[in-house]
Amino acid sequence: MKRYFLSFLSLLLLLPALSACGTYDYYAHVSDEKRDIFRAETENYTLTVSCVSREYPFLCDGVAAQKSNLLEAVLAEKTPSAGEYEIYFLEDVPKGGDMSFRSVTGDWFYSRTAETFPEGSLSVRVVKDGTAEDIVATSVKTENTLSPREALEKAVDSEKDYISKMTRGGEFYGEFHVRLLRRDKNYYYVGIVNGEGDILSLLLDSETGEILARRERT
């Protein structure tokens, strides 16, 4: 009986180590995530709608809080005008409103909460000075684009030493930012943030997960 008890106790002591070997859920520490991007272009502007899950308030403090789902729209005019813009998402009951002009970036911005995110395409109505135009924005993702979880796994795997310095007693003390980006092609940005607000920034190939750039900021 004593030998059985000692064997059972040994197994219990091994459990933390076993659970830390490849099964730790780092995705639970994501505080800011951009999982999809929809784009449309007309003669007068380009429209980008991003599917975002972000904690509120958004703080780079190394702690991931509860997130909210948001649709964030950015409209960039090809030729600046003095017009006013509204935007409405046409799925089910149209939801939207006035867009705000951002003088720093020179574009128009609108954000709203979302119960679910669209897939593949998104029907949108853009209104400028009372004149409406219905357009369809399509996702930039392809069948080869990694998911945010897969991109994070690639980043964690490439930064094992860095991650280990933020891990105590089998628990990770930090947060992650995982964002799909669209430039000349798709990329992923992964930010690893510690409790002091220091950020290790990684740029990944969106299909292979290869690390293309790395920068530390304190």
Side-chain angles (χ1 to χ4, degrees), residues 109-143:
F109 179 79
Y110 175 83
S111 175
R112 76 165 181 87
T113 58
E115 295 182 3
T116 60
F117 287 132
E119 295 184 7
S121 63
L122 175 64
S123 297
V124 177
R125 176 170 297 151
V126 175
V127 182
K128 180 182 180 182
D129 299 330
T131 300
E133 180 177 22
D134 290 354
I135 59 176
V136 176
T138 57
S139 172
V140 302
K141 295 197 303 184
T142 71
E143 60 183 9

Side-chain angles (χ1 to χ4, degrees), residues 189-218:
Y189 164 82
V190 175
I192 306 174
V193 186
N194 64 20
E196 287 70 47
D198 302 329
I199 303 177
L200 171 61
S201 297
L202 305 172
L203 184 68
L204 284 67
D205 183 286
S206 68
E207 296 185 357
T208 67
E210 177 187 357
I211 307 299
L212 304 176
R214 183 183 190 276
R215 184 180 68 176
E216 292 188 52
R217 188 184 74 189
T218 58

Side-chain angles (χ1 to χ4, degrees), residues 48-69:
T48 303
V49 180
S50 300
C51 299
V52 176
S53 294
R54 182 180 299 128
E55 68 178 6
Y56 182 82
F58 179 52
L59 301 171
C60 289
D61 57 1
V63 179
Q66 184 175 355
K67 299 192 295 292
S68 298
N69 291 337

